[in-house]
Amino acid sequence: AGAAAEARFISSAKGKGLFATRNIRKGETVFVERPVVSSQFLWNALYNYRACDHCLRALETAEENAQRLLGKSSLVLPHPEQCSIRKDLHQQCPRCQVTYCSAECRQAALEQYHQVLCLGPSRDDPTHPLNKLQEAWRNMHYPPETSSIMLMARMVATIKQAKDKEWWIKAFSQFCNKTANEEEEIVHKLLGDKFKGQLELLRLLFTEALYDEYLSRWFTPEGFRSLFALVGTNGQGIGT
């Protein structure tokens, strides 16, 4: 049987959608794709759920996961051979020590956005602009988490690093076109009633950390709101 679904353009407001091409059986994989950009939830990372910094695969074994969640370091799980985590393949960024599940992910991150976002020895420095941005986000967006400001940071970093910047801008802009009112509604939903002040604070911190002349529109109040709405509309949160 061929692919169970295909992506089709719906409208400029909705962008693309996924349509079934035939009957789909229960339990069948419908569609697989790599996210354009992904990032671990910030509280999730703070609580030490260790995941690949690029593809988000778990880095801890099933036993370690159970020990951490239950607070029992003596817990032993049966059938360790069933666990697919391969620690011998894990790699770290030599500069900032973020961890990846494989050499492939470390390389992919470096080539796409990590050169711009690597904190190097400033990883634990609370005064670093990127850390200030993340701290502000955590203080506005408590669990259960639905998004991360770092998705937007990775989008900016991707374009900063890209040889063909226009291709990436096009790729991001095809996701959605909302009216100003719709954008405001999405931001309100993500940030709550104080969203106007919070959005402005985030924009200032975002600008301090990542400003780029080429993308100057994204750093204006209107452009930043649009970027925020794009992530709010198209982001998919996965809880584990």
Side-chain angles (χ1 to χ4, degrees):
E6 66 181 18
R8 288 186 213 147
F9 181 76
I10 302 170
S11 67
S12 62
K14 282 201 160 175
K16 290 178 183 168
L18 204 58
F19 293 83
T21 52
R22 55 173 172 76
N23 289 341
I24 295 166
R25 290 187 304 279
K26 184 181 174 182
E28 190 181 346
T29 299
V30 176
F31 185 70
V32 178
E33 68 172 349
R34 271 203 203 107
V36 181
V37 66
S38 59
S39 185
Q40 187 179 5
F41 287 143
L42 293 180
W43 281 102
N44 188 270
L46 198 70
Y47 285 137
N48 286 328
Y49 177 79
R50 299 203 316 279
C52 175
D53 201 59
H54 183 66
C55 77
L56 311 186
R57 275 193 183 88
L59 296 175
E60 57 185 2
T61 62
E63 185 168 278
E64 287 170 331
N65 183 278
Q67 287 171 347
R68 177 175 58 79
L69 292 172
L70 293 168
K72 282 188 179 172
S73 55
S74 58
L75 184 81
V76 177
L77 288 189
H79 309 297
E81 71 286 349
Q82 296 288 336
C83 183
S84 60
I85 303 298
R86 293 277 310 278
K87 293 204 161 189
D88 52 320
L89 298 179
H90 295 176
Q91 292 204 355
Q92 288 187 315
C93 166
R95 290 190 63 238
C96 70
Q97 274 71 56
V98 297
T99 311
Y100 299 97
C101 68
S102 61
E104 290 75 21
C105 273
R106 184 171 75 89
Q107 198 53 38
L110 195 65
E111 283 170 13
Q112 189 185 329
Y113 55 80
H114 189 68
Q115 290 169 49
V116 168
L117 297 178
C118 182
L119 289 169
S122 305
R123 190 178 173 190
D124 298 317
D125 175 4
T127 66
H128 188 285
L130 272 171
N131 284 334
K132 276 160 62 178
L133 176 68
Q134 292 181 73
E135 177 64 14
W137 176 259
R138 277 195 300 265
N139 287 330
M140 293 172 194
H141 198 81
Y142 289 97
E145 296 177 272
T146 56
S147 192
S148 170
I149 194 75
M150 293 310 288
L151 282 172
M152 292 156 66
R154 286 188 177 185
M155 288 165 72
V156 169
T158 294
I159 293 170
K160 278 189 172 195
Q161 280 189 216
K163 287 189 179 75
D164 187 351
K165 297 181 192 301
E166 272 309 307
W167 185 91
W168 277 101
I169 287 179
K170 230 193 209 125
F172 288 133
S173 67
Q174 73 177 359
F175 277 107
C176 68
N177 290 297
K178 301 276 182 206
T179 65
N181 282 346
E182 286 171 318
E183 285 179 352
E184 200 138 293
E185 227 168 87
I186 293 159
V187 178
H188 182 198
K189 205 167 145 192
L190 266 178
L191 292 177
D193 287 337
K194 299 189 198 132
F195 74 94
K196 284 188 171 140
Q198 292 187 333
L199 193 65
E200 185 54 18
L201 172 64
L202 285 172
R203 186 180 74 85
L204 294 172
L205 291 168
F206 195 76
T207 304
E208 188 193 345
L210 293 156
Y211 185 76
D212 186 79
E213 190 61 43
Y214 191 80
L215 292 170
S216 56
R217 192 192 158 266
W218 278 6
F219 295 88
T220 65
E222 297 74 29
F224 188 66
R225 186 189 60 208
S226 293
L227 187 58
F228 217 91
L230 185 152
V231 167
T233 311
N234 296 280
Q236 281 188 309
I238 300 170
T240 53

